[in-house]
Amino acid sequence: MDSTVVVIDFETTGLSPDEGARATEIAAVVLDRGRVVARYQSLMNAGVHVPRFIEELTGITNAMVREAPPAKEVMAAFARFVGDLPLVAHNASFDRKFLDAELARIRQRRRQEVACSMRVARRLYPDAPNHKLGTLVDYAGVRVTGRHHRALADAEMAAGLWTRMEEDLLRAYRLRQVPHELMCRLQTVRRDGLADFMEGYKRRCGP
DNA sequence: TGCCAGGCCCTCTTTAGGGCCTT
């Protein structure tokens, strides 16, 4: 189960929990050997106003949030769902800070690292027009599963992108498998040093 | 109601600046 990860995505009222932004929706998909085998998704009511811009961006309205279960219940269920499995998110620094902030409100702490699909994509696809999730989904031929900026659709498409990147690594470097640890280490490799890194990896670890 | 940040990476770099990406 070395390759099993949970791909997560938050929709929020803004860009930073330090500035008062809260989560409005969260989703997680369990990705096992390239297949989504479990899903979790919920809107959540954190008792905050959703700005008009965010309503238009996400389609998540104040009325939808008012009728959603309390954030503390959603986050507790989310924490049970993901357990200790390693996490993946697109632009992980964003989702990580909201995850940590929302968990702290229910007196829980994250127990695993969050790998970043955007950072890996920047290594693997330096010629993509840009590295937004929507652009990479088109560029890599990932199936569009729903509306962008809704948590479950974005988590599923990020999972599809993660799978495609594993496949491209397998093809390009003739590996038998792509351990999650390798995907994490790719994040810290300079973009122009990927080929050298992979050759070194194969020598140390075998194909 | 309207507006907001921060980590990462690249390069014309490292005594820094600016673009990208997330909502």
Side-chain angles (χ1 to χ4, degrees):
Chain A
M1 298 290 281
D2 182 41
S3 66
T4 301
V5 299
V6 181
V7 185
I8 66 170
D9 187 73
F10 274 100
E11 303 304 321
T12 72
T13 62
L15 292 174
S16 173
D18 293 338
E19 299 293 321
R22 295 292 304 274
T24 57
E25 186 179 43
I26 188 168
V29 299
V30 179
L31 189 59
D32 180 16
R33 284 166 289 189
R35 297 183 62 184
V36 173
V37 297
R39 293 172 172 82
Y40 176 85
Q41 175 273 333
S42 183
L43 292 164
M44 68 175 85
N45 184 356
V48 294
H49 177 76
V50 182
R52 173 70 63 84
F53 167 72
I54 298 293
E55 286 188 320
E56 293 173 352
L57 178 71
T58 66
I60 297 171
T61 65
N62 280 285
M64 292 165 67
V65 168
R66 271 197 302 273
E67 296 172 2
K72 62 182 180 181
E73 291 181 12
V74 174
M75 289 308 301
F78 173 85
R80 287 193 297 272
F81 181 83
V82 303
D84 292 323
L85 286 170
L87 303 178
V88 173
H90 198 71
N91 195 13
S93 64
F94 175 85
D95 292 275
R96 188 177 54 229
K97 66 186 177 184
F98 275 96
L99 176 57
D100 290 350
E102 294 293 344
L103 286 176
R105 289 176 176 273
I106 60 170
R107 300 178 186 279
Q108 291 198 36
R109 296 180 68 178
R110 175 170 52 88
R111 299 190 294 268
Q112 62 274 78
E113 291 302 310
V114 188
C116 182
S117 55
M118 184 183 74
R119 292 175 66 186
V120 176
R122 280 179 167 158
R123 272 64 174 174
L124 286 186
Y125 308 134
D127 297 326
N130 60 57
H131 297 88
K132 297 177 182 178
L133 178 59
T135 301
L136 289 167
V137 164
D138 290 338
Y139 183 81
V142 173
R143 190 167 68 92
V144 176
T145 61
R147 172 182 173 153
H148 284 296
H149 296 301
R150 286 302 299 264
L152 183 58
D154 278 357
E156 286 183 322
M157 289 187 280
L161 175 64
W162 194 255
T163 300
R164 179 57 191 269
M165 291 193 295
E166 289 180 327
E167 292 169 350
D168 284 346
L169 277 169
L170 289 170
R171 233 190 326 270
Y173 299 103
R174 299 188 183 87
L175 303 173
R176 288 199 180 90
Q177 64 172 1
V178 181
H180 184 250
E181 170 264 347
L182 170 59
M183 296 293 275
C184 290
R185 286 168 61 189
L186 281 181
Q187 298 179 151
T188 62
V189 178
R190 283 185 65 90
R191 189 173 62 189
D192 56 5
L194 177 62
D196 288 344
F197 171 81
M198 289 304 300
E199 289 305 314
Y201 177 84
K202 282 199 296 183
R203 279 198 302 273
R204 289 192 301 275
C205 303

